[in-house]
């Protein structure tokens, strides 16, 4: 019996590990999987983020997921940043997250309720301290509401 329990546990672990999952500390009911946001391709590659968002009704909005560095150039890394459009007016940028590793978990949070978030993914040139080949997705409640169910 014990052997079957261990094998069943290992099998469940392998299956769960091979499926895309919500970021740690979150339930899938509380998060929406926006999907990949990818920078434009450059001469050596690109950066990509697999993005999950909280619901727009949340008091503090969060963008989380995984950031991927897909650029072969040694001085290039992946970069992600979020610009929050607040319900009371005004905007604010979350501090950027970067990685030169193949993948890294990310979390960017707002300071209050928002009406829109722009998720920007770029290739980051470390020697020049410059973001390159950027692409931004504008995420609004109207876009989420019109998704097929």
């Amino acid at each position: 019996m014990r052997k079957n329990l261990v094998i069943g546990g290992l099998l469940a672990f392998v299956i769960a590990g091979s499926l895309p999952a919500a970021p740690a500390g979150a339930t899938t009911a509380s998060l929406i999987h926006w999907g990949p946001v990818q920078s434009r391709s450059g001469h050596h590659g690109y950066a990509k983020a697999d993005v999950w968002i909280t619901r727009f009704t949340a008091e503090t909005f969060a963008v989380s997921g995984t950031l991927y560095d897909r650029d072969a150039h040694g001085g290039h890394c992946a970069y992600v940043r979020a610009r929050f459009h607040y319900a009371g007016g005004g905007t604010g940028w979350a501090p950027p997250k970067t990685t030169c590793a193949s993948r890294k978990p990310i979390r960017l949070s707002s300071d209050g309720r928002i009406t829109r978030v722009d998720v920007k993914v770029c290739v980051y040139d470390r020697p020049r301290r410059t973001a390159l080949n950027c692409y931004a997705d504008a995420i609004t409640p109207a876009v989420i509401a019109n998704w097929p169910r």
Side-chain angles (χ1 to χ4, degrees):
M1 177 77 166
R2 185 180 182 120
K3 182 178 176 184
N4 288 342
L5 184 61
V6 170
I7 291 172
L10 286 173
L11 182 59
F13 177 76
V14 169
I15 290 170
S18 66
L19 298 174
T27 63
T28 54
S30 66
L31 295 178
I32 299 167
H33 187 225
W34 176 255
V37 178
Q38 182 175 311
S39 72
R40 292 179 292 129
S41 296
H43 63 284
H44 287 288
Y46 61 93
K48 181 173 83 170
D50 186 25
V51 175
W52 293 77
I53 59 172
T54 56
R55 302 206 178 273
F56 280 89
T57 56
E59 187 63 37
T60 301
F61 189 87
V63 174
S64 55
T66 307
L67 182 61
Y68 298 92
D69 180 11
R70 298 292 187 243
D71 194 300
H73 190 276
H76 290 176
C77 304
Y79 168 102
V80 65
R81 196 160 190 199
R83 182 177 184 191
F84 300 106
H85 298 255
Y86 290 100
T91 61
W93 285 97
K97 303 287 184 183
T98 61
T99 187
C100 295
S102 61
R103 65 189 290 168
K104 176 185 177 180
I106 56 164
R107 181 172 172 82
L108 308 164
S109 298
S110 72
D111 291 330
R113 290 197 181 217
I114 67 164
T115 58
R116 172 181 159 174
V117 62
D118 302 323
V119 178
K120 180 178 177 180
V121 177
C122 308
V123 172
Y124 184 71
D125 187 333
R126 279 191 310 178
R128 295 188 321 174
R129 296 182 180 179
T130 307
L132 309 168
N133 303 327
C134 296
Y135 176 80
D137 261 358
I139 306 170
T140 64
V143 171
I144 301 295
N146 290 328
W147 278 5
R149 297 182 192 244

